[in-house]
Amino acid sequence: MDSTMTPAPRSVRASVFRLLGRNPLRRAALFLILGVVAGLPSMALPKSTLLVLGPDAKGYKQVMQGMSEELEDEFDLIHRKVDRDTPYKNFEAHLLEVQPDLLVLMDNVTISYYRFFQERYRGRIDFPPTIVTMALFVDQSIKGMEKVIGLRYEVPPVISLTHLRSIIADPVNRVGVVYRAEHRNYFEGQKAYCDQEKITLVGYEIGSDGADGTGTVDEKNLSKEIRNGLKYLITNENVDVLLVLNDNKLLREKDVRTVWLPKLRRFRKPVVVGVESLMSIAGFGNFGVLPDHYGLGISVANLAIDIKESQWEMESGHVYNPNSVKKHLEKKFARKYLTVPPDKYNEIDILK
Amino acid sequence: MRLFFFCLLHLVATGASYAQGPKVYAFLPSNIRPHAMQGLISREAPGIDITFFGRYREFEVQLKQSRPDAIVTFRMVGENLAKESKNPLAPLLIGKREGETSEKFILLAVGKKIDLGQIENIGIGVVSLMGRRQMAHFLATEFKVGKIRIKTVTKLEDLLSLLQFQDVDAILVPESQLSYYNERSKLNLVATELDGITLALPVVFKITEDPNKIQQLEKAFQGLEPKIKGLLGVDQWIQP
C-alpha cells in the first residue's frame, strides 16, 4: 500500500515546479510573491519534496522514521512502496508524478530500476540528487549513475572493531578478513580507516588468481579457498579476531556448515558479524555489530540537509559510511572465552 | 462471605495503588543502554516507576501521550519541552557534580584545535538532545553566529564514527566525556575549549502536585548510591 506521509497537491505543485525548474531562488521568489498576494502572515520558504522509493518492511520503516523525524522542518516526505513485486512502470510513474527535489532509494531493486530510468530519460529530464541506502555493496551498484550518492548498509569494520575493543579487555590488534577480489577496493579503504585506530586488518583475498582477476572462482574452489583463508588467518597469522563480511557468495549455506563452522568452533576468540542471521547460528558469530536502522535514517537526513544547503549540488558517486549500530553479544561465549568487565555488559543492546 | 470478598478486593486495590510509585520518564543519552540504565535505577529505587528513553523524539512523544509524575533530563531539554508545550516545568532537584550545576562543552577534533573564528564554516557533530532545529538554534545562539552546520546522532558512540570518517570537522561534547572518547579511540583527539558554552547538569522536573508523590521522588533520587548518581552525571541532588 502506498503511504504518503505529508499529502500535498501534487498535480498543481508539479506544474508550478516544472515551470520554475529546480532553481531555489526562483522558487523562493515566486512563493514570496504568492505569499504577499495572498496576504499570508508567514513568509517562510516552502519545504522541499523528498521522495522515498523502497519496501515498507520493518527495517525500512525504521529508516523512514529516523528520516522523517529529523527532516520534518525541511522536507515533505513522500513514501511510495517499491519492492521486487512492483513493476518498473509503477516506479517510473511515481518519479514522474512527484518530481522530487531529492530522491532516496532503498534496496537493490530500486537501484536497478533507477539505472534503467536514467538510461531511458538521460538528456530529456533533469535528474534529482539521489541518495541510495539499505542496499548491499552500494559502491558497485551506483557506479556510472548520474547525481547519485550512496550510504552503505554494511557496518564498516572500523566501527565494529572500535566497539569490540571498548567492550572486551582482550587484544583487538590484528583482525583477519576473508574477502573476494571483487571487494578489494572496499577492503583497502576500510583497512586505511582501521590503521588510524591502530587496528591492523589482515586480509586473505579469494579469486585474485582467477583469469579475469574479478574474484570469479568455481564453486568447489571457492569452498577450498575459504577454508585455506581461515586456516591461514587463524594458524599462520594468529589473528586476535575474525571479521566476517556480509558477502552472500562467501556465506553459502553449505560453506557455513562445512567450512566456516568447523574452523570457527575451534577459534575461541571474537568472531564479528554484521547480520543477525549469523548470530543465530550456534558457534558462528559471537559479537554482532548490526546496522541501527533508525540511526541510518538520521544519516540519510544529514546527507539530505547537506545537499539542500549546497543548493542541490553533490559529488556524484561518493559513498558514505553509516554511523549508528546495535551491538549483540553471545553471553555464554563471552563468559567462557572473553574478558568482559561487568559494567561493559550495560553497553550491549542485545545479550543472548 | 460477601464482606470478606469486598475486604479482599479493597486490600488488593489499595495494595496495587501503594505498589505503584510515581511514574518518571528519563532522557539522558549515555554510553549505557536505556534498558540497562532502567534496570539499574529500578533495582536501586524500587519506589519509583522509571522509564528511560534513548531518543529525544521517543521521549517527547511519550510525554504527550501519557504524562508522568516527573521527568529527569538535562535542564536545556526540560526548558525546551516546557517552551514547546507552553507548560512550565518546575525543578524538583538540581544535579550537581564537583560543586557545579553545569559543565563546559568542548570541541574535539583529530590532530588540531578548531579555529573558533571560523566556526560558521566547520561541520560539527552533536548528540541530538532536542530536535535538529532546536539544536542548531541553541548552538548558533551560543556561538553567536547566524547559522551553524551540524550533523546529528542519537548516541554518544556514534559521534566518534563521524570523526573516524571525517564527516565532520569536530564533535561537541561535555568536558567530562573527554576520557570516554580517549579510551575508545586511538585517534589523536585534540580538545578546543569553549569560553562560556556550558551544559547544565540533569534536573528532576516535577509534573505532579501530589505531595506524597513528590516526597517519594525526593527520597528515591536522594537515596541513590553514589555510583548510580554518577551514571546519571551527578554526585548530589540539591533543592532549587
Side-chain angles (χ1 to χ4, degrees):
Chain A
M1 193 179 69
D2 289 355
S3 63
T4 302
M5 297 196 70
T6 313
R10 300 279 150 237
S11 55
V12 174
R13 201 182 55 202
S15 310
V16 172
F17 282 4
R18 209 171 291 131
L19 188 73
L20 290 169
R22 293 194 187 283
N23 187 326
L25 290 175
R26 287 168 71 189
R27 282 189 188 183
L30 180 85
F31 277 92
L32 197 66
I33 293 163
L34 284 176
V36 170
V37 171
L40 294 174
S42 166
M43 291 295 152
L45 291 179
K47 286 188 199 175
S48 310
T49 309
L50 192 158
L51 173 65
V52 184
L53 297 175
D56 64 358
K58 192 181 166 200
Y60 298 92
K61 280 183 180 163
Q62 288 168 341
V63 176
M64 278 293 297
Q65 191 190 350
M67 282 168 62
S68 60
E69 289 181 359
E70 203 62 11
L71 293 174
E72 62 186 8
D73 296 324
E74 301 277 350
F75 286 90
D76 282 329
L77 254 70
I78 301 163
H79 175 229
R80 299 286 167 87
K81 182 183 165 186
V82 174
D83 59 21
R84 60 188 61 192
D85 298 325
T86 309
Y88 167 78
K89 64 175 185 185
N90 292 19
F91 173 89
E92 184 178 300
H94 294 319
L95 265 171
L96 295 176
E97 181 205 341
V98 178
Q99 299 199 15
D101 299 295
L102 187 68
L103 176 65
V104 172
L105 299 175
M106 300 200 284
D107 201 50
N108 291 77
V109 173
T110 60
I111 306 175
S112 311
Y113 279 176
Y114 194 54
R115 183 177 288 284
F116 183 70
F117 179 89
Q118 285 206 340
E119 282 164 14
R120 200 164 176 199
Y121 284 93
R122 186 161 286 124
R124 290 160 62 193
I125 63 170
D126 190 11
F127 298 130
T130 300
I131 303 167
V132 168
T133 191
M134 294 290 277
L136 290 176
F137 293 107
V138 81
D139 303 57
Q140 283 140 330
S141 316
I142 67 168
K143 261 183 193 160
M145 292 172 85
E146 200 177 314
K147 287 167 93 170
V148 177
I149 59 170
L151 176 64
R152 291 190 183 103
Y153 182 71
E154 298 86 5
V155 175
V158 69
I159 294 188
S160 308
L161 298 170
T162 314
H163 281 301
L164 176 68
R165 188 172 63 185
S166 75
I167 299 287
I168 64 171
D170 309 280
V172 184
N173 301 321
R174 303 180 74 251
V175 179
V177 184
V178 175
Y179 65 95
R180 287 186 297 129
E182 198 176 320
H183 299 140
R184 187 184 300 144
N185 287 347
Y186 175 78
F187 174 80
E188 293 298 337
Q190 296 303 324
K191 188 175 172 7
Y193 285 124
C194 287
D195 286 344
Q196 292 176 8
E197 281 289 355
K198 311 275 187 282
I199 295 170
T200 306
L201 286 192
V202 183
Y204 183 90
E205 188 172 295
I206 287 179
S208 48
D209 299 331
D212 54 3
T214 58
T216 314
V217 281
D218 64 50
E219 205 168 298
K220 196 177 161 194
N221 279 335
L222 186 61
S223 306
K224 195 177 152 195
E225 285 258 33
I226 298 169
R227 190 177 288 113
N228 289 343
L230 290 172
K231 190 179 168 194
Y232 169 78
L233 293 171
I234 294 169
T235 312
N236 298 29
E237 291 288 348
N238 191 25
V239 293
D240 304 317
V241 177
L242 276 174
L243 185 135
V244 183
L245 296 180
N246 299 347
D247 182 350
N248 289 338
K249 290 196 178 165
L250 294 181
L251 295 166
R252 294 172 307 173
E253 193 270 331
K254 186 179 136 246
D255 288 333
V256 166
R257 197 164 25 87
T258 60
V259 181
W260 287 92
L261 278 173
K263 289 280 177 207
L264 297 185
R265 279 194 180 129
R266 287 196 294 270
F267 184 52
R268 292 174 188 176
K269 289 180 184 175
V271 177
V272 181
V273 297
V275 282
E276 199 157 4
S277 56
L278 295 179
M279 281 300 286
S280 318
I281 302 171
F284 203 103
N286 44 52
F287 189 73
V289 187
L290 279 50
D292 175 341
H293 292 125
Y294 182 92
L296 203 62
I298 301 275
S299 297
V300 174
N302 281 323
L303 291 173
I305 297 280
D306 275 355
I307 294 169
K308 185 174 179 178
E309 289 182 350
S310 312
Q311 310 297 314
W312 311 106
E313 293 297 323
M314 57 187 239
E315 190 190 338
S316 193
H318 196 86
V319 181
Y320 295 84
N321 288 292
N323 305 113
S324 196
V325 296
K326 287 196 184 281
K327 287 170 278 186
H328 296 220
L329 179 66
E330 199 198 311
K331 198 163 48 176
K332 208 171 151 189
F333 180 88
R335 294 212 166 127
K336 203 166 175 187
Y337 298 113
L338 304 178
T339 317
V340 183
D343 285 357
K344 292 291 178 181
Y345 285 103
N346 292 330
E347 297 184 22
I348 301 291
D349 293 281
I350 296 174
L351 259 179
K352 279 202 209 174
Chain B
M1 186 67 187
R2 270 188 191 170
L3 186 64
F4 172 75
F5 189 66
F6 279 121
C7 286
L8 191 68
L9 265 181
H10 177 73
L11 277 173
V12 169
T14 49
S17 72
Y18 282 128
Q20 197 171 31
K23 190 157 79 169
V24 182
Y25 290 163
F27 173 63
L28 290 167
S30 82
N31 54 323
I32 297 180
R33 290 293 175 260
H35 64 264
M37 195 69 118
Q38 194 169 308
L40 288 169
I41 306 262
S42 298
R43 275 197 294 278
E44 270 281 305
I48 57 171
D49 171 17
I50 194 163
T51 308
F52 269 81
F53 294 88
R55 303 195 304 258
Y56 174 74
R57 290 293 181 202
E58 211 181 11
F59 176 59
E60 189 189 28
V61 167
Q62 192 58 35
L63 267 176
K64 283 178 188 160
Q65 286 174 353
S66 149
R67 298 282 284 175
D69 297 304
I71 61 170
V72 191
T73 189
F74 291 108
R75 181 182 277 274
M76 65 190 276
V77 180
E79 285 172 354
N80 180 60
L81 285 167
K83 194 173 138 197
E84 302 244 315
S85 66
K86 298 191 175 76
N87 285 320
L89 283 169
L92 176 67
L93 297 168
I94 295 171
K96 218 171 176 185
R97 193 174 64 233
E98 292 168 0
E100 302 289 337
T101 56
S102 64
E103 67 171 313
K104 286 179 187 167
F105 267 125
I106 54 171
L107 284 172
L108 276 185
V110 180
K112 60 176 183 192
K113 287 204 172 205
I114 294 296
D115 176 2
L116 296 175
Q118 295 293 315
I119 201 76
E120 278 175 292
N121 301 322
I122 71 159
I124 302 175
V126 293
V127 174
S128 188
L129 294 177
M130 305 178 285
R132 173 186 285 275
R133 180 172 49 85
Q134 293 87 341
M135 281 306 290
H137 180 257
F138 166 77
L139 290 175
T141 308
E142 292 291 315
F143 281 109
K144 300 180 180 67
V145 291
K147 201 175 179 190
I148 203 139
R149 282 171 50 214
I150 61 166
K151 277 198 197 297
T152 57
V153 295
T154 56
K155 293 176 270 188
L156 257 62
E157 63 206 36
D158 299 346
L159 281 181
L160 182 60
S161 59
L162 289 177
L163 283 180
Q164 285 169 329
F165 297 120
Q166 295 156 29
D167 289 336
V168 294
D169 301 292
I171 58 174
L172 182 84
V173 298
E175 198 174 27
S176 60
Q177 285 173 9
L178 177 60
S179 57
Y180 167 79
Y181 290 101
N182 275 329
E183 278 165 25
R184 287 184 78 85
S185 176
K186 299 270 170 77
L187 295 174
N188 176 21
L189 298 175
V190 178
T192 305
E193 290 193 10
L194 302 170
D195 203 18
I197 302 183
T198 58
L199 173 70
L201 297 180
V203 169
V204 180
F205 293 95
K206 70 179 167 100
I207 294 172
T208 182
E209 291 300 334
D210 180 340
N212 285 334
K213 285 187 171 176
I214 290 173
Q215 201 181 3
Q216 280 178 282
L217 285 164
E218 283 181 332
K219 195 179 161 197
F221 280 97
Q222 296 283 18
L224 291 173
E225 272 193 10
K227 191 181 173 188
I228 304 292
K229 281 184 188 154
L231 294 177
L232 295 174
V234 305
D235 54 28
Q236 62 169 312
W237 297 104
I238 57 165
Q239 303 283 347

